[in-house]
């Protein structure tokens, strides 16, 4: 048994997974936490991480460092993604994390982010020998498209579209206007076409979605009384169910979104963009497969699990 501490620092949130991994690669959660720090706030426009965003992120890192120490100071891997890739002052971010956690943060490429997300998702859901799984990791700053089978990753592409980036770029109304939605949808569809040139959607047999936008859309479709990971994980929604839930979230104002019992407060203002991106991807896969893939599976296991498993592999 090996204890690991995985940290995923994205555009919207910083998450920690402390887990025990046995000799077969099975992972058992010890702690799984999320803090919305909005590290990537304004990065799409300015190209820089703001002082306020850095302060929020550093405060969360300090809390995580204390928790990791209380759990025996296991091996740590800190992975940073889209916002950190884009920021010209990412060295300030890296120095601050190093000082608080004692590890070098890794600003990983979109391709590695996709591979870690795929590993995390299929570690629990599994992959049949004749199955081609498309895992979509829809984050705050980027969306990863990664297709694979039982042998591993076959193709991947990271696109600069995410719930924070596209809210800031397109959706300013409360609720968004029809013109704002149309402009964003056109851009999303264009970027899906670009991704599909590298990740052929027509070969997919199963579509899996990970990360908070997708799990929140799933919770909305299921009309859950609160955020229940055990109900969300493995839930399969039809294309029509995704369309209906996404449209409702997109056209709701922020007050109504905030009143939903499964809505994280840090996701209220960006869930509309996340829902629209997810709807467009589900529709694109259904069209590319000529209806053979008629929906999507939500997974609560994602890049965090992939990071933890990568620590265990390094430790062998």
């Amino acid at each position: 048994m090996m204890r690991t501490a995985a940290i995923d620092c994205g555009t919207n949130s910083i998450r920690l997974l402390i887990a025990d991994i046995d000799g077969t690669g099975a992972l058992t959660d010890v702690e799984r936490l999320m803090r919305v720090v909005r590290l990537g706030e304004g990065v799409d426009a300015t190209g820089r991480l703001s002082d306020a965003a850095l302060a929020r992120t550093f405060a969360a890192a300090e809390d995580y460092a204390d928790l990791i120490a209380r759990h025996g100071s296991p091996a740590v891997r800190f992975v940073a993604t889209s916002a950190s890739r884009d920021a010209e002052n990412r060295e300030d971010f890296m120095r601050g994390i190093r000082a608080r956690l004692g590890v070098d943060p890794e600003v990983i490429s979109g391709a590695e982010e996709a591979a870690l997300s795929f590993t995390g998702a299929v570690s629990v859901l599994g992959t049949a020998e004749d199955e081609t799984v498309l895992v979509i990791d829809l984050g705050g700053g980027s969306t990863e498209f990664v297709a694979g089978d039982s042998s591993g990753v076959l193709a991947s592409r990271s696109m600069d579209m995410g719930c924070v980036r596209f809210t800031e770029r397109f959706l300013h109304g409360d609720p968004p206007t029809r013109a704002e939605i149309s402009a964003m949808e056109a851009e999303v569809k264009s970027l899906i076409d670009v991704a599909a040139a590298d990740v052929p959607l027509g070969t997919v047999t199963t579509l899996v979605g990970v990360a908070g936008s997708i799990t929140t859309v799933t919770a909305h479709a299921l009309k859950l009384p609160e955020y229940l990971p055990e109900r969300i994980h493995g839930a399969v929604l039809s294309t029509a169910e995704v369309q209906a839930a996404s449209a409702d979230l997109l056209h709701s104002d922020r007050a109504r979104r905030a009143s939903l019992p499964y809505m994280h407060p840090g996701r209220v203002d960006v869930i509309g963009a996340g829902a629209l991106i997810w709807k467009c991807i589900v529709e694109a896969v259904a069209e590319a497969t000529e209806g053979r893939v008629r929906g999507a599976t939500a997974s609560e296991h994602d890049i965090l699990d992939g990071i933890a498993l990568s620590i265990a592999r390094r430790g062998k």
Side-chain angles (χ1 to χ4, degrees):
M1 188 73 72
M2 179 181 184
R3 179 158 291 184
T4 62
I7 300 175
D8 165 38
C9 187
T11 299
N12 197 42
S13 65
I14 181 169
R15 300 183 302 144
L16 168 68
L17 171 61
I18 300 175
D20 291 332
I21 302 175
D22 67 19
T24 69
L27 184 152
T28 302
D29 287 14
V30 177
E31 299 274 3
R32 190 182 288 259
L33 303 171
M34 179 186 76
R35 291 263 295 270
V36 172
V37 294
R38 198 64 60 85
L39 177 63
E41 185 175 40
V43 168
D44 188 57
T46 68
R48 294 181 59 83
L49 302 170
S50 72
D51 291 343
L54 287 170
R56 293 191 297 265
T57 305
F58 292 158
E62 288 170 4
D63 291 343
Y64 286 175
D66 290 342
L67 190 58
I68 290 167
R70 290 203 298 272
H71 283 287
S73 299
V76 178
R77 186 180 183 194
F78 187 109
V79 164
T81 54
S82 178
S84 306
R85 285 196 295 265
D86 293 349
E88 63 184 42
N89 62 332
R90 60 180 167 268
E91 285 300 326
D92 296 338
F93 162 73
M94 295 176 73
R95 279 194 298 271
I97 293 300
R98 192 178 299 115
R100 289 160 176 84
L101 282 158
V103 297
D104 289 324
E106 301 174 49
V107 180
I108 61 172
S109 67
E112 185 170 3
E113 184 177 357
L116 288 169
S117 296
F118 182 84
T119 298
V122 303
S123 69
V124 176
L125 293 174
T127 308
E129 197 159 319
D130 59 348
E131 187 179 22
T132 300
V133 178
L134 175 64
V135 173
I136 300 295
D137 183 350
L138 200 173
S142 66
T143 295
E144 280 62 53
F145 295 70
V146 51
D149 57 19
S150 56
S151 67
V153 173
L154 300 173
S156 68
R157 182 70 186 262
S158 178
M159 303 304 301
D160 282 340
M161 64 176 176
C163 61
V164 174
R165 188 188 297 271
F166 274 24
T167 297
E168 292 180 351
R169 191 180 293 182
F170 293 103
L171 304 184
H172 308 296
D174 183 25
T177 66
R178 183 176 301 178
E180 289 170 348
I181 292 169
S182 295
M184 177 177 158
E185 188 163 10
E187 179 68 4
V188 170
K189 289 180 177 179
S190 174
L191 292 175
I192 291 171
D193 288 343
V194 173
D198 290 332
V199 185
L201 304 184
T203 65
V204 171
T205 58
T206 303
L207 174 60
V208 175
V210 304
S213 288
I214 293 169
T215 58
T216 301
V217 170
T218 304
H220 191 58
L222 297 174
K223 297 180 171 61
L224 296 182
E226 59 183 299
Y227 193 93
L228 298 170
E230 66 276 12
R231 291 279 305 278
I232 295 168
H233 181 68
V236 180
L237 299 182
S238 68
T239 302
E241 288 172 319
V242 172
Q243 289 170 324
S246 297
D248 190 48
L249 288 168
L250 177 62
H251 292 284
S252 295
D253 61 25
R254 292 177 185 176
R256 178 170 179 266
R257 294 176 192 166
S259 72
L260 298 172
Y262 36 78
M263 183 69 64
H264 190 286
R267 205 169 297 286
V268 169
D269 60 331
V270 297
I271 188 59
L276 180 54
I277 293 169
W278 183 226
K279 177 191 82 77
C280 290
I281 292 171
V282 172
E283 291 173 341
V285 172
E287 181 179 356
T289 60
E290 299 179 336
R292 293 191 306 278
V293 178
R294 300 177 182 178
T297 302
S299 175
E300 284 283 338
H301 296 269
D302 52 29
I303 188 173
L304 262 184
D305 301 70
I307 296 166
L309 291 167
S310 74
I311 300 169
R313 286 194 300 269
R314 290 176 176 181
K316 287 182 179 179

